[in-house]
Structure formats: C-alpha cells, structure tokens
Amino acid sequence: MGIMDLQPTELKLTEQRSLEIIWSDGKKMDYPYGVLRMACPCATCREKKRAEAAKPKGLLQVLSAAETVPLAVTQMRPVGNYAYNITFSDGHSSGLFTMELLREIGTLVET
Ligand SMILES: [Zn+2]
C-alpha cells in the first residue's frame, strides 16, 4: 500500500485542542490546531510565510487580534478522496490539506 492510498478512517476533535486522525494503516496521529493553521498550504499563507522568513531576525512581531485568540478547527470537509478543506475559527478556509500533507504534518509532530 503506497502513501497515496492511505485514508483517514476516523477524525476526532480532542479536548486538547487538536485533531486526531486514525489512518487506514492503523496509525494514530495528533494535530494541534495551531500546527495545522501554520501548515495551511494555500497561496496566501505560503506568501505570508515567505515574507516572514525574509524579515530580519529580532524584529518585533506584532500579533494580529486573530492570532492572539486561541484557534480552533470549526469545520472539516472532504474534497474527493484526496484532501480535506479545513475551516479555522479565525475564518480562514482556503487551505486544501491533501492526505499526503496531513501524513507529513503528522509525522513531523510525532517526532
Ligand atoms: Zn491558508
């Protein structure tokens, strides 16, 4: 079974402000909401991350009002059988999280 064939068999929002996914290979992975939000692969977020990375170090970071409010996942919508569209409590919903990306994030969080 290749990584592309892996599917979540169970999705659960936990008390610890994280999403728990049980995959079809039996692996259980935990995704803190903040990590998911940071990993949003949409063009806007990728551009924002690029701009952040280009800033000189030590520059005071000003948090927007939305960023200081604890984030939550408010909705997860399957897109075909290859991705999930995740809506966050800050109103952001343009990220398409492919199964491949979710596996990758889960592996990073695990280690
Ligand atoms: Zn995004």
Side-chain angles (χ1 to χ4, degrees):
M1 182 161 70
I3 189 151
M4 297 300 288
D5 304 318
L6 288 168
Q7 294 287 329
T9 56
E10 209 182 313
L11 295 166
K12 200 170 78 186
L13 300 180
T14 74
E15 303 279 303
Q16 286 77 44
R17 311 191 60 78
S18 68
L19 164 74
E20 184 183 285
I21 299 182
I22 299 174
W23 292 87
S24 49
D25 64 350
K27 254 194 177 302
K28 189 159 105 177
M29 290 177 167
D30 195 64
Y31 302 77
Y33 294 154
V35 170
L36 280 176
R37 182 65 182 84
M38 285 290 293
C40 178
C42 84
T44 308
C45 291
R46 272 184 296 150
E47 186 49 50
K48 205 177 152 191
K49 265 178 273 181
R50 230 195 322 271
E52 286 292 327
K55 270 188 199 165
K57 284 201 166 60
L59 199 72
L60 189 68
Q61 287 216 355
V62 182
L63 293 174
S64 75
E67 280 169 324
T68 60
V69 172
L71 266 176
V73 168
T74 56
Q75 201 191 344
M76 279 191 81
R77 191 172 54 87
V79 178
N81 60 358
Y82 74 98
Y84 277 92
N85 176 233
I86 300 181
T87 303
F88 295 94
S89 54
D90 63 353
H92 192 69
S93 64
S94 43
L96 208 57
F97 291 75
T98 61
M99 302 310 175
E100 216 178 348
L101 176 64
L102 284 171
R103 271 302 275 215
E104 204 182 304
I105 299 168
T107 307
L108 286 174
V109 171
E110 223 175 26
T111 49

